[in-house]
Amino acid sequence: MGKINGCLKCVFFLLNAMFGIFGGLMIFGLVKAQAVEPQLPSAVGPWLWAGLWVFSLGMLMVSILGETAATTEKTAMLKVFAGLVVAVMIIMMILGIVMASYRNKVKVSFENISPDIVGEMMAENNIREILNDAQGPLQCCGFMSYQDWGNSIPGSCKCSESTFCTNRPGNLDGPAIIYSRPCFPIASDLLDLALTVSMGVLFGFAVTALLCLKASLLMIRQVRRHNGGRGGQAIAMTAPGYKLTPGI
């Protein structure tokens, strides 16, 4: 019979599996993103990219350590795991708070965007290329309207088989039928959704880390109890016995 309760160990395994899956998905996402866009690490910053890799691998290693500690039922490994889980929980909470603050700032910035800012953005060739690539999938045209493109509307604004179509003004060049809605509100809503989901994931894993910490502490107590507290019972069991002689 093991030292740790079977139900507790199963719950602990499931909680750790979530960390392993999360770390594995992050590693897969980083590899896939770099394969699609090789310049992504330099775009987001080498330090941030390295931090994402360290965090992803750390999540996977914490999961492996937890599974190993529960399997071997070693208090030393369970203590190390508990310490790492505390660090993960703190990091998750900090990232969640930072994400919430960043989400609010982005939302305020998007609401206060002005035509002058849009004009400055459209003057950048890389911004124009990004917008041109996004218009087809998002079914939109221009940041705030098709007028952002000036007198020549690109082919990516061409609308077909969509409810968001309108006729191109006759004084402009480009497709005869274009998307009627701008891209900026759509991108803003998508970014807000992505940040909200990220916040939920971070706070959710912070709660999972707290549950893992609680489970690891319970398992440490069960192992100690099975071994006789801090060793007193084990020593008593191995102490030499004495045979009582009748009449003495």
Side-chain angles (χ1 to χ4, degrees):
M1 183 178 178
K3 303 176 184 179
I4 301 174
N5 179 272
C7 294
L8 177 60
K9 188 180 290 188
C10 289
V11 173
F12 186 76
F13 281 145
L14 290 175
L15 293 173
N16 270 277
M18 294 179 63
F19 283 108
I21 293 172
F22 183 68
L25 289 176
M26 284 192 65
I27 293 173
F28 176 79
L30 291 173
V31 172
K32 194 73 174 177
Q34 188 170 0
V36 174
E37 183 53 59
Q39 302 300 323
L40 186 60
S42 58
V44 301
W47 286 106
L48 178 57
W49 189 258
L52 290 173
W53 268 105
V54 170
F55 183 75
S56 304
L57 292 172
M59 292 289 289
L60 189 60
M61 295 304 297
V62 166
S63 175
I64 295 174
L65 176 63
E67 303 285 353
T68 305
T71 302
T72 59
E73 299 182 341
K74 300 292 185 181
T75 55
M77 294 186 68
L78 287 170
K79 289 178 180 179
V80 173
F81 172 80
L84 291 176
V85 164
V86 170
V88 170
M89 182 173 59
I90 294 173
I91 292 173
M92 290 286 188
M93 292 297 295
I94 293 175
L95 290 176
I97 294 172
V98 171
M99 193 75 69
S101 176
Y102 179 74
R103 173 177 172 269
N104 293 333
K105 290 181 180 179
V106 168
K107 192 171 183 179
V108 171
S109 299
F110 279 1
E111 290 175 352
N112 297 330
I113 192 168
S114 64
D116 293 337
I117 296 177
V118 174
E120 293 176 1
M121 295 172 63
M122 292 298 294
E124 300 290 337
N125 290 330
N126 59 335
I127 299 295
R128 294 171 68 91
E129 291 177 1
I130 293 174
L131 178 61
N132 191 34
D133 293 338
Q135 288 179 148
L138 295 180
Q139 296 186 350
C140 56
C141 186
F143 273 107
M144 306 304 293
S145 73
Y146 63 86
Q147 296 176 349
D148 295 334
W149 290 105
N151 296 326
S152 180
I153 300 176
S156 58
C157 285
K158 181 179 180 180
C159 184
S160 60
E161 299 180 0
S162 174
T163 57
F164 308 104
C165 295
T166 186
N167 294 325
R168 169 185 55 82
N171 61 327
L172 302 179
D173 297 330
I177 301 177
I178 61 175
Y179 293 113
S180 60
R181 58 180 185 172
C183 297
F184 184 79
I186 301 173
S188 175
D189 291 341
L190 290 175
L191 180 59
D192 183 73
L193 176 62
L195 292 175
T196 302
V197 172
S198 299
M199 286 168 46
V201 170
L202 290 172
F203 285 124
F205 272 98
V207 174
T208 303
L210 180 61
L211 294 176
C212 281
L213 176 62
K214 180 65 176 178
S216 62
L217 294 177
L218 288 174
M219 288 193 293
I220 290 173
R221 188 168 66 178
Q222 288 185 5
V223 172
R224 282 181 173 177
R225 184 181 302 166
H226 184 276
N227 292 337
R230 295 185 178 274
Q233 182 179 342
I235 294 175
M237 291 175 63
T238 57
Y242 296 93
K243 183 177 180 181
L244 297 177
T245 303
I248 297 179

